Amino acid sequence: MERTHSRWRKTLGLVLGASLLSISAASAAELTVWCWDPNFNIPAMQDAGARYTKDHPDTTFNINNISQDEINQKLQTQLLAGVTDGLPDIVLVQDDNIQRFLQSFPGAFVPLSDSIDMSKFAQYKVAAATYDGKSYSLPFDSGVAGLFYRSDYLEQAGYKPEDLQDITWNKLIEIGKDVLSKTGHQLIDVDFNDDGIIIMMMQSAGQWYLKNGTEPNILDNPALKQALVTFQDLNKAGLVKPISNWTDYTGAFTSGEIAMVPQGVWITGTIKSVPEQSGKWRVAPMPKLDNVDGATHYTNNGGSSWYVLSSSKNAAEATDFLKTVWAGDVDFYQGILINQGAVGSLLAARDGAAFKASDDFFNGEPVWQNFSDWLAKVPAVDFGTFTPEARLAVRAQMPGIASGGNIDDALKAIDAQLRQQMQ
């Protein structure tokens, strides 16, 4: 493995010397991009490419629709083999997976912080792709989270919007019991094969499954333990509707069956897909964990960022493109917010008209402005290289916890499984 990485670093050193010329010397080229989702990432990149081409008419873009899993597999296989043929110029990678590549394949990606001012972006996004003092990503979409809720159900139960401001999860459980008894609607739905609700609670207190990205942070992690306790309490109170797939998950709230959706901002489009529910929804800050030091109302679920491969013959131009549009064009971010519902990580975009606009679907609330304000306050965490393994270990224990299992025993099992996978 070390010989492979050594050979890879030598190869990349030659590539970097040849390709990373000054930005001003960037030449026309076809930039190949790998990303997923034809309704979100791809049209956003197409718009960015069109904007860049206006001033760089000889530059073209070849945007490929490739799934997350396939991107991860292709990168892992080719970087491990030291083979750069066929790799793109720019690639999209999920935030919680990038450290695996940065640490396993040093030199594989261009350190964009050498060319782009990273203080322009939400710092928790920058931190996700920082390794050995340099940042490698152009931070893209945020998974900043909020508590979407049916205001009509809350009103029927005797609550007002201000009753969901600055509350804890225990308070939300009290409210949820009232909503259930007075309206018959459960509070939330959860797929026990997805630990999204756990990581949102945990990150809101600045904690993660790993300590310093390298050591399991399970047994002495008060935020994780309280998140599991809260998850169990929600289930004990009958406030959780268990589901088992994405269709059932979205169907539970688009049908009006449940009262709330604690989720990343990217769920907004799905919630708004039922026009007859316009004016029946609002968004509040996330509840914070009870009795946990550092607990906040700000957290995240999901999100990805753009990377330039060091093996690219067009690395300088790819970097210039990202710097020009993705790190500098505020108007571009207004467009992808309106057209794709993408809340980008460029902080200056918050001052644009689209972010400040109110939304009648959400009772006239400035939801985009609220989300962008929360974005700047999300605690940064170190995902490390074993987040996927940690998440699988937690998911394995969620059904037992939901049914009243011992949480300390569950934490021990999570820790043991994670440590075994890290060997």
Side-chain angles (χ1 to χ4, degrees), residues 67-95:
S67 71
Q68 287 187 60
D69 290 343
E70 189 175 0
I71 285 176
N72 291 335
Q73 182 180 17
K74 285 177 177 288
L75 288 176
Q76 178 74 20
T77 300
Q78 292 198 227
L79 294 180
L80 187 61
V83 176
T84 62
D85 291 346
L87 289 178
D89 302 293
I90 298 171
V91 64
L92 188 68
V93 179
Q94 193 85 1
D95 290 340

Side-chain angles (χ1 to χ4, degrees), residues 204-222:
S204 71
Q207 295 294 320
W208 197 249
Y209 294 133
L210 299 163
K211 186 182 299 181
N212 299 321
T214 57
E215 291 293 324
N217 185 28
I218 306 298
L219 299 180
D220 297 314
N221 185 337

Side-chain angles (χ1 to χ4, degrees), residues 27 59 94 136 176 189 198 272 325 395 406 412:
S27 59
T59 300
Q94 193 85 1
Y136 291 82
D189 63 329
I198 306 300
K272 293 180 66 175
V325 180
R395 293 169 187 172
N406 184 279
K412 292 176 183 177

Side-chain angles (χ1 to χ4, degrees), residues 145-147 149 164-167 283-288 297-298 374:
L147 182 65
Y149 67 96
L164 289 181
Q165 301 295 314
D166 191 25
I167 65 170
V283 188
M286 290 286 283
K288 65 181 181 181
H297 296 289
Y298 315 108
W374 302 338

